Amino acid sequence: MSPTMDQMREAQRALETPLFSGLPGDIEVSFEFFPPKNEKMGETLWRSVETLAPLGPRFASVTYGAGGSTRERTHQQVVRIQNEANIPAAAHLTCVEATRDQVDEVARHYWDEGIRHIVALRGDAPDGQGTYRPHPDGYANAVELIAGLKRVADFEISVAAYPEVHPDSPDRQADLDNLKAKFDAGATRAITQFFFDPECFFDFRDRAAAAGIEGEIVPGIMPVLSFAAVQRMSGLCGTAIPDWMEGLFDGLDDRPEARQLVSATIAAELCRRLYAGGVRQFHFYTLNRAELSYAICHMLGLRPKVAA
């Protein structure tokens, strides 16, 4: 995909100083949260939702534990976000350890509660079970799940995409074929796994377009709250960590404020380079902490659209 003149001018502007000056705030954002395990974590989650709500997100999603292990907590938070924070809410739903009837029942329940958006995922094997195995009476994969959800109701459906290839995919082409199958089954958009190299996303976007994928592909942004945690997650999902990143976080384990400044700087620069390449939609994996995502959005020119 060749850059347009506007993108070329924007790329030049991105190289000028200051990097974030004059941005018009013409981005759209969405946020991901996970269901809290206790009351204190619930308070932290809700403060984060209230902090980010004024930015006018397109939606906020809530994750779902393997085998429905967080089903009730996910449901409570999804409904509360939609009804009390006035943010369109999306519920994660997976195929793991559930029959088709069970998954369909959960989906119908969401629809009856006014939830119109599902993040449809195959899901990973529960801890200690090794390789993913579909339930004998369940949906085998995300493609089947999407088709099943569309039979239940006309949901808006977001799916996962992997710029650096899903760990279970044999190769890049198979991974792209699977993503195209998700769109063909009825997906609305794809949200990528987190990554740290903008060229990784641009290359993936170009390969997806060449494969005939026309749906929206949104970069997933993971601000680093803990470098050790990101190392663990990257190992599980196949995300490459740049050599320079460890040095930037070295010595900050006991300095959380400084670590947040470094993290915001890295993630904001990544987003700024994506913006220079024409990206206008971003999805933030908040880890239930609002400060970093809010700061990055602010640097990208986004300002509150409604009163806090």
Side-chain angles (χ1 to χ4, degrees), residues 55-262:
L55 297 178
R58 293 200 292 173
F59 62 89
S61 67
V62 182
T63 62
Y64 185 81
S69 58
T70 67
R71 178 182 300 176
E72 291 303 321
R73 286 182 282 128
T74 296
H75 176 267
Q76 291 169 2
Q77 298 304 324
V78 167
V79 172
R80 187 181 183 192
I81 286 171
Q82 177 138 316
N83 292 342
E84 297 184 33
N86 296 317
I87 302 173
H92 285 223
L93 198 53
T94 74
C95 308
V96 179
E97 296 190 329
T99 67
R100 293 181 180 223
D101 288 343
Q102 288 171 332
V103 172
D104 291 352
E105 181 184 358
V106 172
R108 279 192 292 270
H109 192 45
Y110 276 126
W111 186 268
D112 292 342
E113 291 278 5
I115 305 302
R116 300 292 183 259
H117 187 171
I118 298 290
V119 180
L121 308 166
R122 186 203 71 178
D124 298 320
D127 291 343
Q129 294 191 16
T131 304
Y132 169 82
R133 292 182 178 85
H135 190 288
D137 297 318
Y139 293 112
N141 50 48
V143 175
E144 288 191 6
L145 174 59
I146 294 160
L149 290 172
K150 282 295 188 180
R151 288 192 292 269
V152 171
D154 189 22
F155 285 105
E156 177 182 352
I157 297 178
S158 295
V159 297
Y162 295 83
E164 296 169 272
V165 183
H166 191 284
D168 291 347
S169 292
D171 53 48
R172 282 184 164 193
Q173 188 57 52
D175 209 41
L176 279 177
D177 292 343
N178 186 55
L179 179 59
K180 188 174 189 305
K182 293 179 189 179
F183 278 109
D184 292 344
T188 308
R189 75 179 54 78
I191 301 170
T192 75
Q193 181 59 266
F194 68 92
F195 57 92
F196 298 109
D197 180 359
E199 292 304 321
C200 172
F201 176 82
F202 294 140
D203 175 68
F204 177 71
R205 185 180 64 180
D206 290 348
R207 288 189 291 109
I213 296 172
E214 299 179 352
E216 176 184 308
I217 299 178
V218 180
I221 307 299
M222 173 79 81
V224 178
L225 291 177
S226 162
F227 184 72
V230 165
Q231 284 181 308
R232 289 193 297 272
M233 288 185 283
S234 296
L236 293 172
C237 64
T239 297
I241 298 178
D243 294 337
W244 49 261
M245 185 175 287
E246 184 173 4
L248 288 178
F249 286 100
D250 186 36
L252 297 181
D253 290 346
D254 298 323
R255 296 182 179 275
E257 295 85 0
R259 189 171 65 243
Q260 285 198 351
L261 291 172
V262 172

